[in-house]
């Protein structure tokens, strides 16, 4: 599943975004985003030969973002991946920021498809809109983050970030002194649920007495709301927190109360170094580079790509300086076991919060089972809104 990313934006911001997209997608295909910016024509790759040779044009690439690259999390990492791809391939891509998961997304993607060859749509809620546009523009390649719908000219990509959540859980389970760990959940969708479960299983693997308490915010980037949720968990006695949102609000709230915490998507050490635990992170650059190169080479085919710790799309952020060295070693050793297949996060026996067996001993959940998870493992305290 791909994150069901939602952004906070005003009507004025949306109008500005749409106006600039229309400007950027007409005329000379200038590079624009919702915040304006410099105008740059697409790069052309010069070929060796005589002066009369036609230059080989590189594909015109565009990215659709749910938020601003300055969020410090999800969009920040996608934008780092774009910059990596640009450097490796000599392509200047266009970006559109703060695009809502609504019919306006389809309008913006349609505008981009009229003069781009490759479009990356980087939020789960863009799935149906991307597919609708892909069917209308068969000569354009579309890549959608974490969705499950494809077309001949549309593929999906995401990664097994639950492995990194499990490793984060090991760190949390080892450093808690109260055995009360809080988790600030984003939206009650399978992606967040299976990451909470993986985190809890990591905690339990080293500390069976610890409990993980979940509070939902129904946000992806709302520092005020996320801070309030974090404070409510700290008030319940939690001394370690993890969050699945893009902002560092949970980490900062924990630091103020002498607790430890981690965020999501990106290394957040800089926001509160002494309070930082660790968290799952993404590395999109190599995937973006390979995908565009495959399109250039004419070898690209639609697929549902799932990255991992092994290929580096998924990883864990550097563990914070306050975490003991033996904990860092344990996390590193466990990561190696996950990579070589010696360990699988969702291998039984696993029971749910009610005590019912969900995965029998010796059995392992398939990826398809994981991607539709709608239950909490034993040891997680909280409800899943329906």
């Amino acid at each position: 599943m791909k994150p069901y990313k939602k952004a906070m934006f005003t009507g004025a911001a949306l109008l500005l975004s749409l106006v600039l997209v229309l400007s950027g997608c007409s005329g000379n295909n200038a590079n624009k985003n919702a915040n304006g910016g410099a105008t740059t024509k697409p790069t052309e790759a010069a070929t060796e030969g005589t002066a009369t040779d036609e230059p080989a044009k590189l594909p015109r690439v565009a990215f659709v973002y749910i938020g601003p690259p300055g969020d410090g999390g999800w969009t920040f990492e996608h934008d780092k991946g774009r910059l990596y791809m640009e450097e490796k391939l000599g392509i200047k891509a266009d970006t559109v920021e703060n695009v809502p998961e609504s019919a306006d997304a389809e309008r913006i993607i349609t505008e981009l498809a009229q003069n781009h060859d490759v479009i990356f749509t980087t939020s789960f809620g863009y799935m149906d809109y991307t597919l609708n546009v892909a069917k209308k523009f068969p000569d354009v390649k579309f890549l959608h983050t974490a969705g499950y719908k494809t077309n001949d000219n549309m593929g999906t990509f995401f990664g097994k970030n639950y492995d990194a959540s499990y490793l984060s859980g090991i760190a949390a389970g080892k450093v808690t002194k109260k055995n009360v760990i809080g988790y600030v959940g984003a939206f009650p969708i399978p992606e967040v649920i299976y990451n909470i479960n993986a985190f809890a299983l990591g905690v339990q693997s080293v500390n069976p007495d610890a409990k993980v308490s979940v509070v939902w915010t129904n946000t992806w980037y709302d520092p005020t709301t996320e801070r309030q949720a974090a404070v409510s968990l700290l008030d319940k006695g939690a001394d370690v927190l993890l969050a699945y949102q893009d902002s560092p609000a949970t980490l900062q709230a924990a630091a103020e109360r002498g607790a430890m915490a981690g965020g999501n998507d990106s290394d957040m050490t800089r926001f509160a170094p002494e309070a930082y635990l660790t968290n799952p992170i993404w590395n999109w650059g190599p995937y973006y580079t390979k995908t565009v190169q495959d399109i250039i080479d004419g070898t690209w085919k639609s697929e549902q790509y799932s990255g991992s710790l092994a290929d580096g799309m998924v990883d864990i952020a550097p563990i914070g300086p306050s975490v003991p060295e033996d904990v860092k070693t344990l996390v590193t050793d466990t990561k190696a076991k996950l990579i070589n297949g010696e360990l699988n996060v969702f291998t039984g026996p696993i029971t749910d919060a009610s005590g019912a067996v969900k995965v029998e001993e010796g059995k392992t959940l398939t990826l398809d089972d994981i991607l539709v998870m709608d239950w909490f493992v034993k040891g997680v305290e909280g409800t899943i809104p329906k």
Side-chain angles (χ1 to χ4, degrees):
M1 295 287 289
K2 143 80 177 113
Y4 190 86
K5 295 281 179 183
K6 290 193 175 181
M8 299 295 293
F9 57 91
T10 64
L14 173 59
L15 179 59
L16 178 60
S17 176
L18 294 174
V19 168
L20 288 173
V21 168
L22 290 171
S23 300
C25 294
S26 60
N28 66 357
N29 187 31
N31 181 31
K32 294 276 188 177
N33 62 37
N35 296 324
T39 299
T40 307
K41 291 184 179 180
T43 306
E44 292 185 349
T47 57
E48 295 183 1
T50 67
T52 59
D53 287 343
E54 286 292 326
K57 291 185 178 180
L58 293 174
R60 299 161 298 177
V61 181
F63 288 78
V64 180
Y65 294 155
I66 189 67
D71 66 1
W74 175 258
T75 300
F76 174 71
E77 288 299 329
H78 279 288
D79 204 54
K80 281 174 58 179
R82 171 188 66 84
L83 294 171
Y84 179 95
M85 181 274 297
E86 289 183 346
E87 180 181 358
K88 294 295 183 181
L89 300 182
I91 292 175
K92 182 63 177 177
D94 295 332
T95 63
V96 187
E97 305 171 7
N98 297 315
V99 177
E101 293 170 313
S102 67
D104 291 305
E106 183 166 339
R107 185 184 312 171
I108 290 171
I109 297 167
T110 299
E111 291 289 341
L112 291 171
Q114 293 176 25
N115 58 1
H116 288 84
D117 306 299
V118 186
I119 300 174
F120 293 93
T121 57
T122 64
S123 186
F124 178 82
Y126 299 149
M127 179 173 64
D128 289 333
Y129 305 120
T130 303
L131 180 61
N132 292 342
V133 180
K135 291 178 178 178
K136 297 175 184 176
F137 293 86
D139 294 331
V140 179
K141 303 296 188 297
F142 297 83
L143 290 307
H144 175 243
T145 311
Y148 55 86
K149 295 182 180 181
T150 63
N151 199 52
D152 287 346
N153 62 328
M154 174 181 167
T156 66
F157 61 101
F158 200 50
K160 302 178 179 71
N161 57 336
Y162 52 81
D163 282 342
S165 287
Y166 183 87
L167 296 173
S168 301
I170 290 176
K174 293 293 286 186
V175 302
T176 181
K177 294 179 175 59
K178 298 181 179 179
N179 289 338
V180 180
I181 298 172
Y183 200 111
V184 184
F187 291 88
I189 59 173
E191 179 205 341
V192 182
I193 293 168
Y194 65 66
N195 273 285
I196 292 172
N197 284 340
F199 176 76
L201 291 172
V203 169
Q204 294 163 18
S205 72
V206 296
N207 188 348
D209 295 328
K211 304 295 182 184
V212 177
S213 182
V214 177
V215 172
W216 300 103
T217 63
N218 292 312
T219 65
W220 289 114
Y221 186 77
D222 183 345
T224 300
T225 299
E226 291 147 21
R227 176 184 175 82
Q228 291 171 347
V231 169
S232 74
L233 290 167
L234 293 166
D235 287 344
K236 291 175 62 176
D239 61 349
V240 182
L241 301 179
L242 203 74
Y244 205 82
Q245 293 83 5
D246 300 333
S247 84
T250 293
L251 171 60
Q252 292 168 329
E256 293 171 9
R257 297 278 287 270
M260 298 193 69
N264 194 36
D265 298 326
S266 183
D267 179 4
M268 295 187 173
T269 307
R270 64 192 182 280
F271 295 108
E274 295 306 313
Y276 190 60
L277 181 72
T278 185
N279 55 250
I281 60 174
W282 295 100
N283 179 23
W284 304 108
Y287 172 81
Y288 285 151
T289 302
K290 182 180 185 306
T291 298
V292 175
Q293 186 63 58
D294 287 347
I295 291 170
I296 294 171
D297 296 340
T299 59
W300 180 87
K301 292 182 180 180
S302 173
E303 66 174 345
Q304 292 186 289
Y305 182 80
S306 183
S308 65
L309 290 171
D311 67 14
M313 177 181 278
V314 173
D315 208 342
I316 186 171
I319 298 176
S322 298
V323 178
E325 288 300 321
D326 64 320
V327 177
K328 296 179 182 179
T329 299
L330 177 59
V331 170
T332 300
D333 292 345
T334 306
K335 177 181 175 181
K337 293 179 180 179
L338 288 167
I339 290 175
N340 66 27
E342 184 179 345
L343 174 65
N344 189 296
V345 170
F346 292 111
T347 293
I350 299 175
T351 59
D352 67 14
S354 71
V357 176
K358 301 296 287 188
V359 187
E360 296 180 358
E361 185 171 2
K363 301 291 185 180
T364 300
L365 287 180
T366 66
L367 183 59
D368 288 341
D369 291 332
I370 295 169
L371 296 183
V372 296
M373 193 173 286
D374 60 357
W375 48 272
F376 278 149
V377 300
K378 184 179 180 180
V380 175
E381 299 175 342
T383 60
I384 300 174
K386 300 299 184 183

